[in-house]
Amino acid sequence: MTDINQEELERISKYCIPAVQNAGDYILGNWTNTKSLTYKDMRDVVTNVDVEVENMLRERLTAILPDAGFIVEEGDSAVSEGYNWAIDPIDGTKNYATGAPLFYTQIALLKQYSPVLSIVYNPLSKQMFRAIKGGGAYLNDLRLKPNNHTTIASSIVDIDTGSLNKPEDAWKLELINKFATHAYRLRITAGFFGLYISTGAVDIFIKANLHSPLTIKEIVDTTPHMLIMEESGHTPHFLTYKDASILICTSDSLFEEVQKSIHRFLPAH
């Protein structure tokens, strides 16, 4: 597949928006009507709605861009050498399955695992986040802009740490403790509020439980959000500690302070 220019990405995005919105409305309509609940492990679940919506989106996206491959969590991925769709039918399935109103449906078009188009829909609030590479980020029809906070002390921080119950996770507890002490507010929402850095609800987002390279689950969870963060003026950066990859997302004016702070928090390795 030849490279897709920005004008073509805009055209593709316009076709994708109703597909994602329809998927989100289907998810919401079936919120209290899930027919099956399967545990992939002790805490990670999948519902019949996840599978149904993934198939629905896969069919619609194939019609829009027939030559693109797919990176999916529930079904079988079919990875292309060029462009691939990453689909997370319900980001926050555990919340969805247990009645918590914290979930999205989301897609990203990836070029060599880097997102060039992203759409994330919150069906409860009817908030449609979207971005294309180099074209800015939008919430519905509002162009999103970077936050103006310049110090950790004035910032709201959202941290997603993953597991905390192993000896090797002790550095994550230190990370939480330091930001809880130095930031204006600390949120721990399993990454749900991270996307809202683009609206000003969060000033710093840290995801401290990634792998390098990203797993399939991490690709579908993370890449749709990353492009929206970047195009709203909050550049994602990765730091490496032992076998962990730490995603930091904040405004360019604040990144250096956050980076230095995290390096001080990490024990020697």
Side-chain angles (χ1 to χ4, degrees):
M1 183 186 298
T2 59
D3 284 350
I4 302 173
N5 61 34
Q6 194 174 85
E7 182 179 352
E8 184 68 5
L9 286 173
E10 291 278 9
R11 186 190 67 81
I12 293 169
S13 180
K14 288 178 181 178
Y15 284 114
C16 291
I17 288 170
V20 176
Q21 185 168 4
N22 289 341
D25 292 343
Y26 182 85
I27 289 166
L28 187 57
N30 286 274
W31 191 12
T32 58
N33 191 36
T34 53
K35 300 181 183 68
S36 63
L37 181 66
T38 305
Y39 279 81
K40 293 188 282 188
D41 57 37
M42 187 172 63
R43 298 290 294 177
D44 199 8
V45 300
V46 59
T47 71
N48 61 290
V49 180
D50 289 87
V51 176
E52 290 161 10
V53 171
E54 183 177 291
N55 291 336
M56 183 188 307
L57 283 169
R58 193 163 181 160
E59 182 178 350
R60 292 289 299 275
L61 296 175
T62 296
I64 294 168
L65 198 62
D67 294 332
F70 287 92
I71 300 172
V72 296
E73 189 176 355
E74 313 306 343
D76 294 326
S77 296
V79 180
S80 166
E81 292 183 1
Y83 290 88
N84 291 281
W85 291 107
I87 302 175
D88 196 350
I90 305 178
D91 182 26
T93 299
K94 181 69 174 180
N95 293 333
Y96 180 76
T98 55
L102 302 170
F103 50 86
Y104 307 111
T105 185
Q106 59 190 40
I107 64 170
L109 181 62
L110 311 181
K111 180 184 178 183
Q112 298 176 341
Y113 296 96
S114 179
V116 295
L117 180 157
S118 176
I119 301 174
V120 180
Y121 182 49
N122 183 331
L124 282 156
S125 64
K126 308 301 181 187
Q127 291 174 300
M128 180 74 73
F129 295 86
R130 58 187 172 87
I132 65 168
K133 187 75 173 179
Y138 293 82
L139 171 53
N140 298 331
D141 294 324
L142 177 68
R143 177 77 177 255
L144 296 168
K145 299 178 180 179
N147 300 330
N148 295 319
H149 290 276
T150 57
T151 65
I152 292 174
S154 66
S155 296
I156 297 174
V157 183
D158 185 49
I159 298 181
D160 183 8
T161 61
S163 66
L164 292 170
N165 57 352
K166 301 174 184 176
E168 58 266 31
D169 294 329
W171 66 271
K172 299 178 185 177
L173 294 171
E174 182 69 7
L175 197 67
I176 291 171
N177 179 61
K178 294 298 184 180
F179 275 102
T181 303
H182 292 86
Y184 176 70
R185 290 285 187 275
L186 177 66
R187 308 279 190 245
I188 301 178
T189 67
F192 184 85
F193 281 171
L195 180 63
Y196 284 85
I197 195 171
S198 62
T199 70
V202 173
D203 305 298
I204 302 166
F205 174 59
I206 300 169
K207 191 171 179 66
N209 60 334
L210 296 171
H211 297 81
S212 182
L214 299 178
T215 65
I216 286 179
K217 177 175 174 55
E218 291 166 349
I219 290 170
V220 301
D221 282 350
T222 306
T223 54
H225 295 207
M226 285 173 56
L227 183 62
I228 293 167
M229 293 172 175
E230 180 178 5
E231 289 295 329
S232 65
H234 307 89
T235 305
H237 299 269
F238 287 93
L239 300 181
T240 301
Y241 175 67
K242 293 186 176 179
D243 60 349
S245 185
I246 306 168
L247 171 64
I248 305 169
C249 193
T250 188
S251 63
D252 292 342
S253 59
L254 191 52
F255 171 70
E256 187 174 349
E257 182 187 0
V258 175
Q259 182 185 37
K260 288 179 179 178
S261 297
I262 289 179
H263 277 306
R264 288 198 299 268
F265 299 159
L266 298 179
H269 67 286

